[in-house]
Amino acid sequence: MTEKSYITVTIPGVEVAQEVQTGTRAIDVLANVLSNKKKKQAILAKIDGELKDIGTPLEKDCTVEAVFPEDENLDILRHTTAHVMAQAVKELFPGVKIAIGPAIDNGFYYDFDYERGFTPEDLEKIEARMKEIVKQALPISRREMPIAEALDFFKQQGEVYKAELISDLQAQGEEMVSLYQQGDFVDLCRGPHLPDTGKLKAFKLTHLAGAYWKGDENQPMLQRIYGTAFYDKKALKKYFAMLEEAKKRDHRRVGKDLDLFSVQEETGPGLILWHPKGAMIRKVIEDFWRDEHIRRGYDLLFTPHIARLDLWKTSGHLDFYAENMYAPMQIDEVQYQLKPMNCPFHIAIYNSKKRSYRDLPLRWCELGTVYRYEMTGTLHGLMRVRGFTQDDAHIFCRPDQLDEEINEILDMTLFVLRVFGFDRYDIYLSTRPEKSVGSDEHWELATGALRNALEQQGLDYEIDPGEGVFYGPKIDIKIRDSLDRSWQCSTIQVDFNLPERFNVTFTGQDSQPHAPIMVHRALLGSLERFFGVLIEHYAGAFPTWLAPVQAIVLTVADRHNDWAQEVTARLKAAGIRTETDLRNEKLGKKIREAQLQKIPYMLVIGDQEMENRTVNPRTRKGVQLDAMPVENFINMALEECREQMAG
Ligand SMILES: [Zn+2]
Ligand SMILES: [Zn+2]
């Protein structure tokens, strides 16, 4: 085999292609076009679009770009930090065995097997040692090794977990593995990594936990050390400030303080009890949701919580969704199943009579409560539960109506999210996976409709190639909350599968039966989870239209009770959710308590208000408004709600 000794390297933005010797490192080519400062800042190379080590030898004609620290490659920084942590642990605790150390959301971890439990003091020591390793700016180098040799290498060091991972790779037919080394520390790793340990500027070890090797409870229990890393100290500080704030806003804590909901061992984990104030917020959400659907041409449906098991056989849920479903129950010799989804019921209503092309589109919505099994360990307040109410809808339309329908769904989604205070999103369009049902023509039509709608609304989105569900493409919308955390809520999914399984048809202009296109759609996801997100987004200080109590009337003394009660009655009659505090307590105390309850308006009634028949509103933020007639306050509060509900 003759090797070409020179290759052509294209650098985007640089006109002249670089002719370099085969095997020249990416960084050395980039050095020709980068300033010294920029060269030092570069951490990775994008070679033909793929992220690689900046020291990667270039073996063929290619395009190379320098990559600088940014949020998109935080994972690589964090994974490199995990390597440095493992190195520090091995140096400090001879005999420790290392397992795996990936980057995760918000940080990284590494699993260790050691003769005694690590302590918080150990974490401090480890962190100090990591800082020394960073100071040394040790180059991080990659090498490839035949798999048998790598196996010996780790076995000799007593690294049994690494040896097991390599054996697994061997069993999969791999012949070579890559190792990364800094100083004396060598790890099995695919990479890429930062060029040297000196690039770590800001990291912190956060906590310890136990974790089974390979997540299997029959395997040894290892010790997991968690940490996080950022490219600069400011970002690290900001992250911890956000965590602090998130703790204060934790929906379980706020939910308890404001008496909104509970989950009780006695009634069952993952099952939500909505207390009066939480239930009031839910009522407001549901009213708004239903009204908006009716306004936009939807019909409401209600369907049962159980159905014959056969229904779930036809729908296919028993085949591909069984692990999320509860055991069937026997009623009069027939098996019934608690519903994990609403779709088959809506289809049953569709199929209850013949539909013509003129009847379409049909837009049907339901706040449908479903039950899905989740492992106990994953349950979390309102965010991960076993029974929840989906804000579900199904649209049945003709292929020629799909574009308009999707566009309308997307428009409605963004409007509803905006009303709830969310106007920043990450949007993903997932396309056809390898295994799928439906014709090419349908997939193209549906994917095109989703894309057109996103573009018509002028939205930025990312494509997740092949990440669609087997039955059709979808759009997922993750909303950003006030702490910039992202939550998956809305989803729009086209489905070619269920209509076929249930033989759903409409009679076309040609008098022949045709399959309609079915779209599943949720705006909020589930009421429970969305409520949790809302609580944390607003830290319990709901906007006036959503607040369970919108105003509280506070008296200074008993002689003000009559006027206070009259004010309350008039507010209530106008539809303002109002409470009265007539207790014989100091006004300051009453105000403080109302503030803790995050009630938007406090109306203090004293001698002057009584005499002038006015109210004296004070906002929960402590802003004192001028005294005004009751009517004026009512108009002001109602107008505020109207504005908030207009998005
Ligand atoms: Zn690695
Ligand atoms: Zn559905």
Side-chain angles (χ1 to χ4, degrees):
M1 206 165 67
T2 55
E3 242 179 65
K4 194 175 166 191
S5 56
Y6 283 88
I7 53 170
T8 308
V9 178
T10 313
I11 302 176
V14 177
E15 250 172 62
V16 189
Q18 314 278 308
E19 291 288 322
V20 298
Q21 234 171 336
T22 308
T24 306
R25 299 184 315 151
I27 182 64
D28 296 328
V29 182
L30 291 166
N32 296 337
V33 301
L34 294 176
S35 67
N36 262 341
K37 191 175 160 209
K38 276 280 181 198
K39 186 186 150 190
K40 263 193 197 151
Q41 287 169 346
I43 50 165
L44 296 159
K46 205 178 246 179
I47 304 175
D48 288 336
E50 242 182 285
L51 280 183
K52 298 278 191 188
D53 295 331
I54 202 157
T56 304
L58 304 176
E59 305 293 351
K60 59 179 174 57
D61 293 353
C62 57
T63 302
V64 174
E65 234 174 307
V67 175
F68 299 95
E70 52 193 332
D71 287 352
E72 280 86 77
N73 47 50
L74 263 176
D75 275 3
I76 293 165
L77 166 77
R78 287 168 174 171
H79 180 56
T80 300
T81 315
H83 276 225
V84 170
M85 175 169 78
Q87 179 184 0
V89 170
K90 281 191 80 162
E91 288 174 8
L92 289 168
F93 305 96
V96 70
K97 294 183 187 69
I98 62 175
I100 54 162
I104 50 172
D105 277 357
N106 300 320
F108 62 86
Y109 67 78
Y110 214 114
D111 287 346
F112 302 98
D113 186 353
Y114 190 53
E115 61 198 28
R116 68 162 174 84
F118 290 129
T119 64
E121 292 73 48
D122 290 334
L123 292 198
E124 279 171 35
K125 269 189 226 152
I126 295 165
E127 212 176 280
R129 176 59 67 102
M130 288 169 72
K131 284 185 180 147
E132 286 169 31
I133 296 168
V134 168
K135 224 186 231 160
Q136 293 164 22
L138 301 171
I140 300 174
S141 60
R142 175 195 176 96
R143 80 184 117 126
E144 310 256 329
M145 199 182 259
I147 201 154
E149 204 177 304
L151 191 59
D152 280 347
F153 176 82
F154 283 104
K155 271 188 181 159
Q156 266 165 30
Q157 294 186 33
E159 291 291 4
V160 291
Y161 299 101
K162 293 291 173 197
E164 193 178 327
L165 291 176
I166 294 172
S167 299
D168 292 348
L169 289 172
Q170 214 166 17
Q172 288 163 25
E174 298 283 337
E175 288 169 1
M176 298 288 285
V177 290
S178 55
L179 306 184
Y180 277 79
Q181 176 160 13
Q182 75 240 13
D184 296 331
F185 175 80
V186 184
D187 203 345
L188 170 74
C189 183
R190 282 205 176 83
H193 275 287
L194 302 190
D196 66 83
T197 62
K199 294 283 185 291
L200 311 187
K201 304 285 185 219
F203 56 85
K204 181 130 197 67
L205 302 187
T206 51
H207 60 291
L208 277 159
Y212 291 109
W213 169 234
K214 293 184 168 170
D216 178 351
E217 59 188 87
N218 302 312
Q219 297 274 3
M221 169 72 92
L222 306 174
Q223 301 188 66
R224 178 168 293 178
I225 303 180
Y226 286 95
T228 192
F230 289 87
Y231 283 111
D232 60 72
K233 291 211 165 69
K234 224 169 104 187
L236 182 77
K237 229 172 133 181
K238 203 174 133 199
Y239 172 71
F240 280 101
M242 188 277 284
L243 280 191
E244 218 23 67
E245 185 56 36
K247 224 189 262 171
K248 276 190 235 156
R249 288 168 178 250
D250 189 313
H251 70 281
R252 293 165 300 179
R253 178 167 165 177
V254 175
K256 191 157 193 256
D257 290 347
L258 301 184
D259 197 12
L260 301 175
F261 74 93
S262 65
V263 185
Q264 298 176 22
E265 204 45 47
E266 216 182 342
T267 43
L271 301 171
I272 305 303
L273 302 167
W274 295 72
H275 295 203
K277 284 192 177 133
M280 179 53 81
I281 297 175
R282 176 164 171 165
K283 182 232 178 243
V284 175
I285 295 174
E286 288 192 0
D287 286 353
F288 164 70
W289 189 93
R290 289 201 174 98
D291 291 347
E292 189 58 29
H293 277 80
I294 292 166
R295 199 169 74 79
R296 291 183 185 245
Y298 283 74
D299 295 311
L300 297 179
L301 302 182
F302 291 92
T303 64
H305 288 228
I306 59 171
R308 296 177 75 141
L309 194 64
D310 285 350
L311 185 74
W312 307 105
K313 272 186 198 147
T314 310
S315 70
H317 286 93
L318 273 187
D319 293 331
F320 61 80
Y321 208 70
E323 76 235 36
N324 292 90
M325 288 157 68
Y326 291 98
M329 58 190 109
Q330 188 92 8
I331 302 171
D332 294 342
E333 314 283 297
V334 179
Q335 288 200 301
Y336 280 76
Q337 173 68 49
L338 203 48
K339 71 171 163 181
M341 292 191 190
N342 305 302
C343 334
F345 293 96
H346 292 198
I347 291 177
I349 296 173
Y350 183 101
N351 280 348
S352 65
K353 64 181 213 184
K354 257 193 170 331
R355 309 282 174 183
S356 126
Y357 68 94
R358 281 188 230 94
D359 300 330
L360 303 182
L362 289 170
R363 306 184 186 121
W364 287 346
C365 65
E366 178 182 15
L367 292 166
T369 304
V370 298
Y371 297 87
R372 296 182 188 171
Y373 176 73
E374 298 276 357
M375 290 201 293
T376 314
T378 63
L379 298 174
H380 179 81
L382 292 165
M383 303 300 193
R384 195 101 182 237
V385 296
R386 284 182 174 163
F388 58 91
T389 302
Q390 278 186 310
D391 70 314
D392 213 352
H394 295 100
I395 287 92
F396 299 90
C397 69
R398 303 190 306 258
D400 65 286
Q401 295 170 321
L402 188 62
D403 253 13
E404 204 185 323
E405 288 308 305
I406 299 284
N407 203 26
E408 167 58 24
I409 294 171
L410 197 58
D411 184 70
M412 179 178 195
T413 307
L414 299 183
F415 169 72
V416 167
L417 292 176
R418 210 160 52 234
V419 170
F420 285 105
F422 301 101
D423 52 12
R424 291 178 307 139
Y425 332 95
D426 300 304
I427 304 179
Y428 303 88
L429 170 62
S430 303
T431 58
R432 188 173 193 168
E434 256 177 54
K435 275 192 189 158
S436 58
V437 299
S439 65
D440 288 353
E441 189 195 337
H442 270 150
W443 273 90
E444 259 161 51
L445 176 83
T447 313
L450 295 174
R451 187 180 292 125
N452 289 346
L454 288 168
E455 267 153 29
Q456 259 187 47
Q457 300 274 349
L459 297 165
D460 282 334
Y461 63 94
E462 256 178 62
I463 293 186
D464 268 347
E467 289 299 307
V469 201
F470 75 89
Y471 54 72
K474 61 169 181 168
I475 293 175
D476 287 320
I477 301 180
K478 291 185 178 178
I479 54 177
R480 294 255 171 187
D481 72 5
S482 53
L483 296 185
D484 210 32
R485 294 172 303 175
S486 122
W487 304 94
Q488 162 77 55
C489 289
S490 319
T491 183
I492 304 170
Q493 308 189 354
V494 182
D495 188 346
F496 309 121
N497 179 49
L498 275 188
E500 198 180 311
R501 279 176 168 272
F502 283 96
N503 194 23
V504 178
T505 59
F506 68 91
T507 309
Q509 243 168 325
D510 55 4
S511 307
Q512 297 298 308
H514 297 267
I517 294 186
M518 181 179 186
V519 182
H520 309 256
R521 179 239 70 177
L523 307 175
L524 313 176
S526 90
L527 290 182
E528 285 73 9
R529 189 157 173 283
F530 192 72
F531 188 33
V533 173
L534 274 179
I535 294 172
E536 299 201 359
H537 180 60
Y538 289 113
F542 299 103
T544 307
W545 79 279
L546 267 177
V549 179
Q550 297 170 308
I552 184 164
V553 181
L554 311 168
T555 49
V556 179
D558 285 347
R559 63 181 179 278
H560 307 125
N561 287 2
D562 286 350
W563 178 230
Q565 272 160 336
E566 192 182 328
V567 168
T568 304
R570 283 172 62 183
L571 261 52
K572 280 188 172 169
I576 295 174
R577 298 184 288 276
T578 312
E579 278 184 359
T580 321
D581 188 349
L582 305 178
R583 289 176 306 162
N584 198 356
E585 294 282 0
K586 287 232 164 62
L587 181 63
K589 186 176 176 190
K590 291 184 180 181
I591 289 178
R592 243 188 338 272
E593 285 182 12
Q595 231 146 10
L596 285 177
Q597 286 298 305
K598 322 239 168 160
I599 299 170
Y601 291 102
M602 290 157 238
L603 308 180
V604 176
I605 307 288
D607 288 335
Q608 258 190 349
E609 288 77 28
M610 190 169 68
E611 200 172 308
N612 302 333
R613 298 183 66 78
T614 56
V615 292
N616 203 350
R618 175 194 166 96
T619 70
R620 66 185 156 203
K621 283 188 185 140
V623 179
Q624 185 65 57
L625 307 181
D626 292 335
M628 57 180 81
V630 183
E631 271 326 299
N632 291 21
F633 174 75
I634 290 173
N635 290 337
M636 184 190 84
L638 292 180
E639 180 55 30
E640 186 187 1
C641 293
R642 263 194 298 274
E643 269 174 30
Q644 289 170 345
M645 291 173 78

